[in-house]
């Protein structure tokens, strides 16, 4: 646990600035993510130095196909998330903190960097859950990593606030950002977030010169219409037609066990539409 940096005091409460929810948190309460807590008028990051998941992964698994290909990335995540996606593949770590459960292996930023180097990784990925919620831990690790010649990768839902993006962006080399849908309704109903903030993060990251790739999980009946694929592909192309788009196949998960696996036909339709506008379209999980 460590005092957070991205917050401000408002009367006897604290306003967290780490993501676009900007939770106003009363004494002894946590924000939506469950990992940032008001203790005696100061905001603390409960998962600082507490890693719930740690692996050496191929960078392609992030997925990043156009950044340090055929290398491995030392990958870490904590518990907690600022979203509550009904289709979350990592719900066992991302949602537990909302019930007050915090766990993880105690590890310092310098130990993470040492492990990454020892395992011959070329980068560190902050992934599995949402890195914006443990942004101070990300930053301390990323600064050390950069000094040792490692790259830093964020795998994110993109719901950064401007403050948190500015706080971390100088240390970030690549991002995979989920673009889960092109509908505000979808974000509100199935994730508990807002599309607008995600689109802003994508634009900011591109403007900052960070390598970005985007991922859409295609869920039957929810975001698999031609119209939606067109909207996503056109939006990406309006920023740059060189941004890779990963189209990922859905498998029943968490609160969406009643949905079928994405038909290959839908994946191919998305691919065709993507290729009308974009140079790099990749199908995943097929
Ligand atoms: S990271 Fe986001 S969800 Fe968590 S407390 Fe801060 S503003 Fe709220
Ligand atoms: S943003 Fe990612 S980690 Fe968080 S709930 Fe959604 S799918 Fe899970």
């Amino acid at each position: 646990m460590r005092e957070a940096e991205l917050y401000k005091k408002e009367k006897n409460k604290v306003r967290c600035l780490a993501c676009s929810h900007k939770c106003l948190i009363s004494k002894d309460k946590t924000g939506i993510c469950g990992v940032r807590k008001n203790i005696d008028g100061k905001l603390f990051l409960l998962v600082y130095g507490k890693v719930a998941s740690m692996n050496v992964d191929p960078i392609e698994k992030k997925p990043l196909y156009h950044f340090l290909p055929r290398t491995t990335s030392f990958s870490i995540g904590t518990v907690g998330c600022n979203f509550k996606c009904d289709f979350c593949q990592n719900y066992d770590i991302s949602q537990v903190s909302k019930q007050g459960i915090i766990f993880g292996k105690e590890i310092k930023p310098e130990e993470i960097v040492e492990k990454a180097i020892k395992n011959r990784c070329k980068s560190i990925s902050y992934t599995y859950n949402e890195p914006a919620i443990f942004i101070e831990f990300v930053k301390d690790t990323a600064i050390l990593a950069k000094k040792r010649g490692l790259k830093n990768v964020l795998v994110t839902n993109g719901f950064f606030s401007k403050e948190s993006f500015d706080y971390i962006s100088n240390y970030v080399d690549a991002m995979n950002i989920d673009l889960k849908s092109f509908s505000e309704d979808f974000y509100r109903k199935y994730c508990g977030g807002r599309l607008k903030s995600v689109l802003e993060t994508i634009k900011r990251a591109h403007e900052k010169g960070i390598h970005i790739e985007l991922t859409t999980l295609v869920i039957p009946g929810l975001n698999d219409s031609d119209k939606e694929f067109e909207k996503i592909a056109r939006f990406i192309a309006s920023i740059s037609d060189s941004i890779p788009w990963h189209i990922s196949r859905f498998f029943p998960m968490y609160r969406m066990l009643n949905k079928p696996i994405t038909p290959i036909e839908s994946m191919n339709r998305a691919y065709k539409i993507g290729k009308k506008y974009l140079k790099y379209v990749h199908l995943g999980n097929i």
Side-chain angles (χ1 to χ4, degrees):
M1 184 165 90
R2 200 200 89 169
E3 189 181 349
E5 291 181 2
L6 272 179
Y7 78 99
K8 60 183 180 186
K9 295 189 181 189
E10 280 189 22
K11 294 184 184 156
N12 54 350
K13 296 183 181 175
V14 296
R15 173 82 63 187
C16 179
L17 304 173
C19 86
S20 277
H21 284 310
K22 298 211 170 158
C23 302
L24 184 62
I25 309 171
S26 306
K27 196 166 166 245
D28 297 329
K29 300 282 186 214
T30 55
I32 289 171
C33 59
V35 304
R36 299 172 74 86
K37 184 171 185 180
N38 178 344
I39 303 174
D40 291 332
K42 289 181 179 175
L43 187 66
F44 281 84
L45 175 55
L46 304 180
V47 293
Y48 189 97
K50 247 188 213 309
V51 163
S53 203
M54 179 161 62
N55 296 293
V56 173
D57 286 339
I59 192 85
E60 287 79 6
K61 205 177 158 187
K62 297 302 110 193
L64 288 176
Y65 285 9
H66 301 257
F67 181 77
L68 300 176
R70 294 174 296 282
T71 64
T72 51
S73 189
F74 197 77
S75 302
I76 60 161
T78 70
V79 295
C81 190
N82 49 359
F83 277 13
K84 52 170 184 66
C85 306
D86 288 345
F87 43 83
C88 182
Q89 292 181 5
N90 294 333
Y91 65 93
D92 50 341
I93 59 166
S94 72
Q95 303 303 308
V96 288
S97 54
K98 290 164 188 166
Q99 282 95 54
I101 301 166
I102 304 283
F103 60 82
K105 181 181 156 47
E106 296 281 345
I107 188 163
K108 295 188 180 108
E110 44 271 43
E111 292 172 319
I112 295 168
V113 173
E114 282 307 327
K115 278 184 188 288
I117 291 168
K118 206 170 147 206
N119 282 285
R120 299 172 185 278
C121 296
K122 297 286 179 230
S123 61
I124 297 180
S125 291
Y126 309 88
T127 175
Y128 306 128
N129 66 327
E130 173 49 44
I133 66 165
F134 61 97
I135 200 73
E136 292 87 356
F137 184 32
V138 173
K139 186 171 176 181
D140 289 354
T141 310
I143 289 172
L144 294 178
K146 216 172 176 62
K147 279 187 191 153
R148 300 289 296 275
L150 294 168
K151 304 289 186 198
N152 290 299
V153 174
L154 300 180
V155 181
T156 172
N157 59 30
F159 202 58
F160 276 79
S161 61
K162 183 175 186 308
E163 291 87 344
S164 62
F165 183 79
D166 291 346
Y167 177 79
I168 198 69
S169 58
N170 282 344
Y171 309 97
V172 177
D173 300 286
M175 294 169 85
N176 185 294
I177 307 172
D178 277 346
L179 183 46
K180 294 174 190 287
S181 157
F182 214 74
S183 141
E184 283 292 359
D185 268 2
F186 179 102
Y187 267 89
R188 188 174 30 79
K189 199 165 165 191
Y190 302 111
C191 310
R194 290 185 301 277
L195 170 66
K196 188 170 174 278
S197 301
V198 176
L199 300 183
E200 280 167 4
T201 299
I202 293 169
K203 286 182 199 154
R204 281 189 191 119
H206 179 72
E207 276 161 22
K208 182 81 185 168
I210 295 170
H211 174 85
I212 56 172
E213 302 190 20
L214 307 178
T215 300
T216 305
L217 178 72
V218 176
I219 306 172
L222 297 188
N223 62 354
D224 60 346
S225 68
D226 284 4
K227 207 171 154 193
E228 181 126 16
F229 296 148
E230 283 273 344
K231 281 185 189 167
I232 294 175
R234 288 169 77 153
F235 165 77
I236 301 171
S238 73
I239 300 173
S240 163
D241 65 358
S242 297
I243 296 173
W245 183 29
H246 297 263
I247 299 162
S248 187
R249 195 178 189 198
F250 166 83
F251 287 85
M253 186 62 72
Y254 190 36
R255 294 200 180 113
M256 280 203 181
L257 294 171
N258 57 341
K259 289 271 167 210
I261 298 169
T262 317
I264 290 293
E265 175 275 324
S266 309
M267 300 292 287
N268 290 338
R269 243 182 332 107
Y271 180 85
K272 261 194 198 156
I273 291 172
K275 285 298 280 181
K276 281 202 296 182
Y277 302 97
L278 303 167
K279 285 190 192 132
Y280 310 110
V281 181
H282 304 287
L283 297 183
N285 275 349
I286 50 172

